[in-house]
Amino acid sequence: MTDSLHPREIRTLVLSTFRQLGAASFAESDFDETLLVRDGRCTARSYRVDDFFAMWLIEVGLLQFYDAEGDMVLLINLLEEASPQKLAA
């Protein structure tokens, strides 16, 4: 099910979403990506630029975005074709 999700496509989505959420202009080299590996498998990827943070929970296909205070501001279910859900502030 998650085989169709490619890290390069997710990275592009994260970068554009960070910009939409108000991250200052940044070069891709300023963008930090971290992998979480458990039992030899990549289970999550996290992304950070400025004060913005995102986490891709690979096995469940969720992409979560957080603001500078650590509040989740956006949730995207990558396994559904529904539009992203903005969370109430």
Side-chain angles (χ1 to χ4, degrees), residues 28-59:
E28 195 164 332
S29 60
D30 298 332
F31 180 74
D32 293 323
E33 181 174 0
T34 304
L35 305 176
L36 175 62
V37 177
R38 287 205 173 127
D39 298 324
R41 293 183 37 205
C42 183
T43 59
R45 290 178 182 250
S46 63
Y47 310 89
R48 184 178 299 277
V49 69
D50 296 333
D51 290 332
F52 293 92
F53 176 77
M55 185 181 314
W56 175 22
L57 303 170
I58 296 169
E59 293 179 355

Side-chain angles (χ1 to χ4, degrees), residues 5-87:
L5 303 174
H6 299 285
R8 183 177 304 235
E9 295 169 341
I10 302 303
R11 190 176 305 114
T12 299
L13 174 61
V14 169
L15 286 167
S16 68
T17 304
F18 278 158
R19 288 186 179 106
Q20 290 174 359
L21 291 173
S25 289
F26 55 89
E28 195 164 332
S29 60
D30 298 332
F31 180 74
D32 293 323
E33 181 174 0
T34 304
L35 305 176
L36 175 62
V37 177
R38 287 205 173 127
D39 298 324
R41 293 183 37 205
C42 183
T43 59
R45 290 178 182 250
S46 63
Y47 310 89
R48 184 178 299 277
V49 69
D50 296 333
D51 290 332
F52 293 92
F53 176 77
M55 185 181 314
W56 175 22
L57 303 170
I58 296 169
E59 293 179 355
V60 295
L62 295 178
L63 183 55
Q64 303 168 331
F65 290 85
Y66 298 86
D67 63 13
E69 287 78 36
D71 297 320
M72 189 187 309
V73 295
L74 181 66
L75 173 65
I76 301 173
N77 185 337
L78 299 167
L79 303 178
E80 292 182 1
E81 293 189 32
S83 59
Q85 300 175 5
K86 279 209 171 181
L87 302 177

